[in-house]
């Protein structure tokens, strides 16, 4: 089945409501933007809610201290 933009927006409601995302939140994205986790789990809540989105690429091998510093 092919997904439409309406499907993606519908899915994003759950990723905003379940963790109770609010405008003051900072989302740390460890997922690449090529799959559902990156797009629906992080990108769409950022677009819909206007929260701060911090991109982190796990393949760079950065330690936890660098991740916390980015947030």
């Amino acid at each position: 089945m092919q997904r439409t933009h309406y499907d993606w927006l519908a899915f994003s409601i759950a990723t905003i409501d379940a963790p109770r995302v609010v405008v003051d939140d900072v989302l740390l994205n460890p997922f690449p933007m090529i799959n559902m986790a990156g797009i629906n789990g992080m990108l769409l809540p950022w677009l819909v809610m206007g929260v701060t989105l911090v991109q982190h690429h796990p393949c760079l091998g950065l330690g936890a201290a660098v991740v916390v510093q980015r947030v």
Side-chain angles (χ1 to χ4, degrees):
M1 174 175 20
Q2 185 176 5
R3 299 275 183 217
T4 67
H5 62 286
Y6 294 113
D7 294 325
W8 291 80
L9 288 174
F11 297 147
S12 72
I13 293 170
T15 59
I16 293 168
D17 286 345
R20 297 186 176 125
V21 174
V22 295
V23 175
D24 296 331
D25 287 344
V26 176
L27 301 178
L28 173 62
N29 181 23
F31 307 110
M33 289 295 183
I34 59 168
N35 59 28
M36 192 68 162
I39 295 171
N40 188 49
M42 298 293 163
L43 182 68
L44 289 178
W46 170 66
L47 288 173
V48 172
M49 295 296 296
V51 299
T52 301
L53 179 63
V54 178
Q55 298 284 57
H56 171 69
H57 199 287
C59 295
L60 295 178
L62 302 174
V66 174
V67 175
V68 171
Q69 194 176 34
R70 286 184 174 185
V71 173

